[in-house]
Amino acid sequence: MKAPKINITDSAVFISDLHLHDNAQNAIFLNFLKHSSNLTKNLFILGDLFDYWVGDDARMYSKELKALKELGEQKSIYFIHGNRDFLITKKYFKENHITILNDETRISLGHHQVLLMHGDTLCSDDLDYQDFRKKVRSKVWQDNFLAKELDERITIAKDLREQSKKLNLNKPENIIDVNETTINSIIEKNFPVEILIHGHTHRQNTHQYNDKNKFTRFVLGDWNDNQGSYLIWKEEQGFEFRTFN
Ligand code: MN
């Protein structure tokens, strides 16, 4: 396997699942961006930064993007699409000094080989969701959606969000969590990765695997009205979860 293109030697910060819309998280996020410039030069946003994205032309979240753009002039900001904001284009984010990476991107942090994902593909037991994902990630669906009037797109996005909330209420907890077999096969496919960092499930935790494959899985926490959460890696101290408000 090719060596990763992103090699970080000093520090990095990872966040996901902020689900920004017009809520209290937005103010916390703006503060966090200021704060993060003292923490690291490398910020990774692993999806669902925004609660929905209906097309670049909607010019949504201008305040947040302006702050990201300013930060991106001095720092490296990377983004992986989540299941809510997968319609953001590489071109649009590039204008805002953010680099979009593929889901399943391998990077190195010091001597660690690390795999980054949003995490929705790990929930492979949720067949309804995986079917839905296949549909909305297709060019046909996206072209059709983006051709609609803005108002209609916003209505559809909100409907989809409500539908998914309702569906998840009726699903057993294990169905909407990650599938361990899928995780193991992704680790094997990305050998010699020994750390997986993802979000999506909103179940912040550190999972240590010592069976067939030896690796660590960090699940990023979500953000709420009172606080944000992030994972920081520093060359000297290693990994640590922290909260911010
Ligand atoms: Mn998600």
Side-chain angles (χ1 to χ4, degrees):
M1 182 170 266
K2 279 193 292 180
K5 287 196 191 103
I6 300 170
N7 300 293
I8 292 167
T9 52
D10 48 356
S11 69
V13 164
F14 303 87
I15 57 173
S16 72
D17 304 288
L18 291 84
H19 292 270
L20 301 179
H21 47 283
D22 290 320
N23 50 9
Q25 277 103 302
N26 295 39
I28 301 174
F29 178 63
L30 293 174
N31 281 336
F32 173 76
L33 289 182
K34 280 187 209 143
H35 171 70
S36 76
S37 59
N38 303 319
L39 290 173
T40 185
K41 279 183 286 193
N42 304 291
L43 175 64
F44 291 84
I45 306 171
L46 303 188
D48 289 351
L49 170 62
F50 302 117
D51 211 28
Y52 55 87
W53 190 269
V54 294
D56 299 345
D57 59 327
R59 303 278 149 186
M60 293 171 80
Y61 315 106
S62 54
K63 221 201 263 174
E64 291 75 15
L65 286 168
K66 187 171 168 273
L68 280 163
K69 190 175 181 176
E70 280 168 16
L71 185 67
E73 279 163 14
Q74 282 122 44
K75 317 278 170 179
S76 299
I77 307 177
Y78 302 98
F79 177 77
I80 286 180
H81 287 125
N83 52 302
R84 301 298 190 87
D85 47 19
F86 59 88
L87 282 173
I88 300 168
T89 66
K90 280 191 177 170
K91 184 175 170 284
Y92 190 71
F93 256 20
K94 203 175 169 198
E95 288 165 18
N96 289 286
H97 300 145
I98 304 163
T99 306
I100 297 191
L101 305 172
N102 293 332
D103 204 15
E104 279 187 57
T105 286
R106 193 158 66 96
I107 65 167
S108 68
L109 296 178
H111 64 275
H112 298 296
Q113 296 295 312
V114 181
L115 186 68
L116 306 177
M117 303 177 73
H118 175 57
D120 55 329
T121 55
L122 299 171
C123 303
S124 51
D125 293 324
D126 191 346
L127 300 176
D128 297 342
Y129 172 69
Q130 296 305 331
D131 280 349
F132 170 76
R133 186 183 196 278
K134 211 175 276 170
K135 183 177 83 176
V136 298
R137 297 292 181 109
S138 72
K139 195 173 178 315
V140 177
W141 187 90
Q142 294 188 1
D143 286 349
N144 185 281
F145 178 79
L146 292 171
K148 293 182 196 297
E149 293 294 332
L150 191 53
D151 287 354
E152 196 186 344
R153 279 182 266 158
I154 292 173
T155 309
I156 295 171
K158 286 183 174 167
D159 279 354
L160 289 174
R161 186 177 60 175
E162 289 315 308
Q163 275 175 35
S164 112
K165 269 186 201 158
K166 267 187 221 148
L167 277 172
N168 281 349
L169 284 179
N170 296 319
K171 283 177 190 167
E173 281 292 292
N174 63 318
I175 294 290
I176 52 175
D177 201 357
V178 298
N179 174 297
E180 297 294 344
T181 309
T182 303
I183 286 174
N184 268 285
S185 63
I186 278 170
I187 290 291
E188 283 163 23
K189 190 174 100 186
N190 287 284
F191 182 83
V193 154
E194 23 91 44
I195 291 169
L196 168 61
I197 304 175
H198 71 84
H200 181 65
T201 61
H202 300 209
R203 300 176 191 203
Q204 182 185 311
N205 212 335
T206 305
H207 299 272
Q208 204 66 54
Y209 294 78
N210 291 306
D211 304 330
K212 204 165 82 174
N213 301 300
K214 293 191 186 352
F215 62 98
T216 307
R217 177 167 68 95
F218 292 103
V219 186
L220 302 178
D222 58 348
W223 288 44
N224 59 41
D225 291 351
N226 304 312
Q227 66 178 35
S229 90
Y230 62 94
L231 177 69
I232 184 164
W233 172 80
K234 286 190 174 179
E235 217 277 311
E236 318 243 294
Q237 291 99 326
F239 289 93
E240 189 193 337
F241 277 115
R242 291 185 194 164
T243 53
F244 178 83
N245 55 27

